[in-house]
Amino acid sequence: MDLRHLLESAAELIGSLTPSLIGSAVAQAWKPALPFRQRFLQWVVGSTVSYYATIAIIAVTGWNHFAAQSIAFAVALLAFDATPRIAKAAIDTLTSVPGRLADRFLPKKD
């Protein structure tokens, strides 16, 4: 593999993650008492969620990268705090699906 190609790919990856990492850092500034473990976790969650959300936004809307990066910043800003609530809502919804399907399609017991 060509070193120049590898460096270009690394620069592109860093460039795409920069808005997400900055958004996570700004979110951490509002919480000065976070331990290092929580800060690291917030960076990982914020940048990961934001990265994939940005890819989805570009794919769905066709917006340019500047608009998507602005949204990536906002998503990273909110992702760490929103993730537990979203996970809980998804788990609650998924665990209620079998019961709702049974109520809808199986005969009622008298």
Side-chain angles (χ1 to χ4, degrees):
M1 180 175 236
D2 184 18
L3 180 61
R4 190 177 75 198
H5 180 68
L6 181 64
L7 291 175
E8 287 174 2
S9 297
E12 186 178 319
L13 176 67
I14 291 169
S16 66
L17 288 176
T18 299
S20 304
L21 294 173
I22 293 171
S24 294
V26 170
Q28 289 179 18
W30 293 105
K31 299 173 188 160
L34 282 179
F36 179 75
R37 182 174 182 256
Q38 288 294 100
R39 289 185 185 280
F40 180 74
L41 184 61
Q42 183 166 5
W43 274 48
V44 169
V45 169
S47 61
T48 303
V49 170
S50 179
Y51 178 77
Y52 288 108
T54 303
I55 291 172
I57 289 166
I58 291 171
V60 171
T61 63
W63 290 346
N64 64 22
H65 286 285
F66 179 75
Q69 287 179 348
S70 300
I71 294 169
F73 174 84
V75 169
L77 190 65
L78 303 172
F80 183 73
D81 290 331
T83 300
R85 289 181 283 224
I86 292 169
K88 183 179 180 338
I91 290 168
D92 290 346
T93 301
L94 291 173
T95 56
S96 69
V97 167
R100 287 191 283 161
L101 288 173
D103 289 344
R104 182 172 181 132
F105 294 110
L106 296 177
K108 303 269 187 229
K109 293 182 181 179
D110 292 326

